[in-house]
């Protein structure tokens, strides 16, 4: 009897987990699409199509290569802050007046899909 109860609980847990992960995947896809659109609108000119810092607009100091290990080793919270608040003494301006925090997360999610 106890074994059957455990089996049923295990199955229910799996069903709930699968339902939750499927919902999250769909939301993630939507966020990546939004992130791509926002990246293309606001970031592409400086960071380039694959985030390598080779956009049409060049600066001194150069813009960050978003695929570099130096950038990728930073925690997401730091990267989100850089997008939202900007970076002093660089061309990276603040985007908080243009993008919500959720939109900023979508852009970062898209950036993290770039090939390394």
């Amino acid at each position: 009897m106890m074994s059957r109860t455990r089996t049923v609980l295990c199955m229910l847990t799996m069903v709930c987990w699968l339902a939750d992960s499927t919902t999250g995947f769909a939301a993630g896809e939507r966020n990546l699409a939004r992130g791509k659109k926002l990246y293309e609108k606001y970031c592409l000119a400086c960071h380039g199509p694959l985030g390598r810092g080779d956009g049409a607009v060049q600066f001194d100091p150069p813009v960050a290569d978003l695929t570099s290990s130096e950038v990728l080793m930073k925690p997401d919270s730091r990267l989100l802050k850089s997008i939202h608040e900007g970076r002093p003494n660089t061309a990276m301006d603040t985007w908080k007046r243009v993008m919500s925090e959720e939109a900023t997360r979508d852009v970062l999610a898209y950036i993290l899909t770039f090939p390394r």
Side-chain angles (χ1 to χ4, degrees):
M1 181 72 164
M2 190 63 127
S3 178
R4 186 173 188 190
T5 303
R6 283 185 190 158
T7 302
V8 169
L9 285 174
C10 184
M11 290 175 66
L12 285 172
T13 301
M14 290 296 289
V15 168
C16 291
W17 178 80
L18 286 172
D20 184 51
S21 64
T22 303
T23 303
F25 183 77
E29 287 296 317
R30 184 180 66 248
N31 291 342
L32 285 178
R34 180 179 178 203
K36 179 181 181 189
K37 186 181 284 187
L38 290 167
Y39 180 88
E40 289 172 346
K41 184 174 183 177
Y42 298 116
C43 313
L44 180 93
C46 299
H47 290 285
L50 296 176
R52 299 189 195 282
D54 58 353
V57 182
Q58 298 293 305
F59 294 95
D60 187 26
V63 299
D65 175 351
L66 303 175
T67 65
S68 72
S69 58
E70 179 184 339
V71 171
L72 295 174
M73 288 175 46
K74 293 179 181 177
D76 288 357
S77 60
R78 178 67 186 110
L79 297 174
L80 289 167
K81 184 176 180 185
S82 292
I83 297 168
H84 200 64
E85 302 291 328
R87 300 284 317 257
N89 303 316
T90 71
M92 183 62 182
D93 200 6
T94 178
W95 290 100
K96 65 183 171 187
R97 292 180 200 93
V98 178
M99 290 189 283
S100 68
E101 286 187 35
E102 182 181 337
T104 304
R105 283 189 212 97
D106 294 344
V107 170
L108 180 58
Y110 176 68
I111 288 169
L112 294 175
T113 67
F114 291 158
R116 309 294 178 242

